[in-house]
Amino acid sequence: MRVLHVITGLGAGGAEQQLRLLLRHLPLCCDVVTLTNPGAVADGIEADGTAVTHLGMNGNRDLSALPRLVDLVRAGRYDIVHTHLYRACVYGRIAARLAGTRTVVATEHSLGERRIEGRPLTQGTRALYLATERMGTATVAVSTTVAARLRRWGVPGSRIRVIPNGIDAARFRFDPVVRASVRTRLDLPAHALVVGGVGRLVPGKRFDIALRAVAQLPGAHLVLAGDGPERARLRELAAGLGITDRVRLLGECGGAVAGEPGARGAAPDVPGLLSAMDVFVSPSAEESFGLAVLEALAAGLPVLHVTCPAVDELPPGHAPGAHRVAPGVASLVAALREPSSVPAGRRRAPLCEAVRRYDVARSADRLMALYEELHGRAPARPAVRTAVRAAGRTAVRAPARAAAPVLPAPNASARTAPTPTAPTPTAPTPTAPTTKR
């Protein structure tokens, strides 16, 4: 069985990291296509031995990318096309059907009630999603919360499968030596209370609440790992609150997957940051899963969260270190002042049932079972010998693309290889995709 994964981008995000983890555990021949932004995760996937092809899509309205994607899917004669993130789901479903692929799966990673992938939902966004969803075979929801949202949108329940995200818990194990090293590196006092968070710096994550809460706790420090359009505003807020010297906005931090290089620059990796923290906060009022919360629990940290489907959907007692708080600054400040939120001596909790339940190997097994079920239903296809791809081709950086925001899209830059190919009857002369090795 051959599977092609199509994803919008491969910067350091939760969905992107999840794809890399799953590829490590799926017993299949897989390839990956990224529509844009072959970033740090693309490098990691290639280092693991899976080919990554950058389609070179220039903006949301770059319809010339569609025939290129169709050609790529058709040439690979894939048994299954699996799409991830909104733009890849829209273009990938259409391309797979035009290429004659009989089984098309999509994973919905980031669907909220009012936002998708951190951007506001519009009627047009929803209509386009539903129109292309009908071209697929099944839609995977990463939580029962997301599954319920899909049903409310009008996706038939028979087409929805719940397969939660997975975690490599050993990667986040607390290390006291790393804790001391990271605190020294970030100029954090050895005995100061360090509050932390991990995630995209977008309005929906509400990290502004974390800043305002820390401002009311003399001597406390805040460390945020992640990048996004809110970074400049958060810096301004820290300055306005007079806590610039107590806030670290580190940008993208790698290391959530073993063997992954950290982000460019001096920032430590995510496991190291979790070792350096004393309490983890997730102020977002809307989440699809809550992978960062699970990573914090795997590190033995106490967690204060407003919502986290990964924890909230479990029976009581499965995540004793996670404490749900009401939205807003006052609730978070009160929780941070509560002695039970930060154990005396900064003790780390043992591995909880919630973390064990979401082991990535279990998620990969469930996904493999779905592939086998759907592939078994699909009509037989004549077997052909797949040509061996030439090795050694590399990507070349291209100028920044012009933005035309219609669909949610990543904010990082893209790399392309401008090798022309023959024009198709329905599109302008396209640019050949680049296979990264």
Side-chain angles (χ1 to χ4, degrees):
M1 188 188 305
R2 288 173 49 77
V3 178
L4 176 67
H5 291 268
V6 183
I7 191 165
T8 300
L10 284 171
E16 297 85 349
Q17 301 280 12
Q18 190 64 199
L19 174 58
R20 185 182 176 195
L21 269 178
L22 286 170
L23 288 169
R24 286 182 166 190
H25 289 82
L26 287 170
L28 288 171
C29 175
C30 295
D31 293 324
V32 174
V33 170
T34 178
L35 302 187
T36 185
N37 183 25
V41 180
D43 296 336
I45 290 173
E46 289 182 315
D48 293 341
T50 297
V52 177
T53 298
H54 178 212
L55 199 65
M57 190 173 188
N58 294 310
N60 299 316
R61 295 175 179 171
D62 182 10
L63 297 180
S64 69
L66 182 59
R68 297 203 299 275
L69 185 55
V70 172
D71 290 346
L72 194 151
V73 175
R74 185 178 288 130
R77 297 188 64 86
Y78 296 98
D79 300 294
I80 297 173
V81 170
H82 189 161
T83 64
H84 308 261
L85 300 177
Y86 182 85
R87 199 198 315 184
C89 286
V90 170
Y91 280 86
R93 286 166 174 149
I94 296 171
R97 285 310 186 195
L98 290 175
T101 303
R102 293 169 171 83
T103 304
V104 184
V105 178
T107 292
E108 187 44 67
H109 294 270
S110 303
L111 176 63
E113 291 290 350
R114 296 171 297 278
R115 308 181 78 85
I116 186 167
E117 296 171 29
R119 295 169 183 259
L121 276 170
T122 64
Q123 288 185 344
T125 299
R126 180 171 172 172
L128 187 57
Y129 182 94
L130 289 173
T132 58
E133 195 280 334
R134 298 184 186 101
M135 299 179 183
T137 311
T139 296
V140 173
V142 297
S143 64
T144 58
T145 299
V146 170
R149 290 170 184 162
L150 288 168
R151 284 192 292 270
R152 287 195 293 273
W153 270 31
V155 178
S158 60
R159 295 168 56 83
I160 301 171
R161 305 297 180 88
V162 177
I163 301 178
N165 287 328
I167 181 174
D168 179 4
R171 178 67 184 147
F172 301 95
R173 187 176 295 120
F174 173 68
D175 187 328
V177 175
V178 171
R179 173 186 174 86
S181 172
V182 170
R183 285 203 168 207
T184 299
R185 190 171 170 184
L186 297 180
D187 195 23
L188 295 168
H191 301 293
L193 173 68
V194 175
V195 180
V198 176
R200 289 273 296 152
L201 302 186
V202 293
K205 292 296 185 183
R206 297 307 313 269
F207 284 127
D208 58 304
I209 292 176
L211 266 74
R212 295 182 189 279
V214 167
Q216 298 185 36
L217 300 170
H221 292 250
L222 177 66
V223 173
L224 294 179
D227 208 350
E230 287 285 284
R231 188 172 185 176
R233 193 176 76 86
L234 292 174
R235 283 193 186 282
E236 292 173 1
L237 178 59
L241 294 169
I243 58 170
T244 300
D245 60 332
R246 294 196 282 132
V247 174
R248 309 288 189 275
L249 301 179
L250 301 179
E252 284 190 358
C253 298
V257 179
E260 176 197 1
R264 296 176 181 87
D269 62 16
V270 171
L273 289 171
L274 293 175
S275 284
M277 295 173 191
D278 295 309
V279 59
F280 187 91
V281 296
S282 178
S284 171
E286 186 175 88
E287 290 285 349
S288 298
F289 184 74
L291 193 59
V293 166
L294 281 182
E295 292 170 352
L297 291 172
L301 278 170
V303 172
L304 302 175
H305 70 282
V306 174
T307 184
C308 175
V311 171
D312 300 338
E313 294 172 4
L314 296 180
H318 275 51
H323 306 279
R324 196 166 187 176
V325 299
V329 177
S331 298
L332 185 55
V333 170
L336 287 168
R337 286 175 172 161
E338 173 61 40
S340 63
S341 296
V342 185
R346 310 292 201 264
R347 295 191 309 273
R348 293 296 174 121
L351 200 65
C352 63
E353 179 59 30
V355 174
R356 286 192 287 267
R357 182 186 183 98
Y358 292 116
D359 183 87
V360 67
R362 182 181 296 185
S363 299
D365 288 345
R366 294 176 67 173
L367 183 58
M368 187 65 202
L370 177 62
Y371 285 166
E372 291 172 341
E373 175 194 339
L374 299 178
H375 183 56
R377 285 196 222 153
R381 177 184 219 162
V384 297
R385 178 169 301 188
T386 303
V388 177
R389 290 185 299 271
R393 288 177 286 177
T394 58
V396 180
R397 287 189 181 274
R401 67 186 187 282
V406 174
L407 311 180
N411 294 308
S413 60
R415 291 179 280 180
T416 61
T419 304
T421 61
T424 67
T426 59
T429 303
T431 302
T434 300
T435 301
K436 302 176 77 266
R437 289 285 189 182

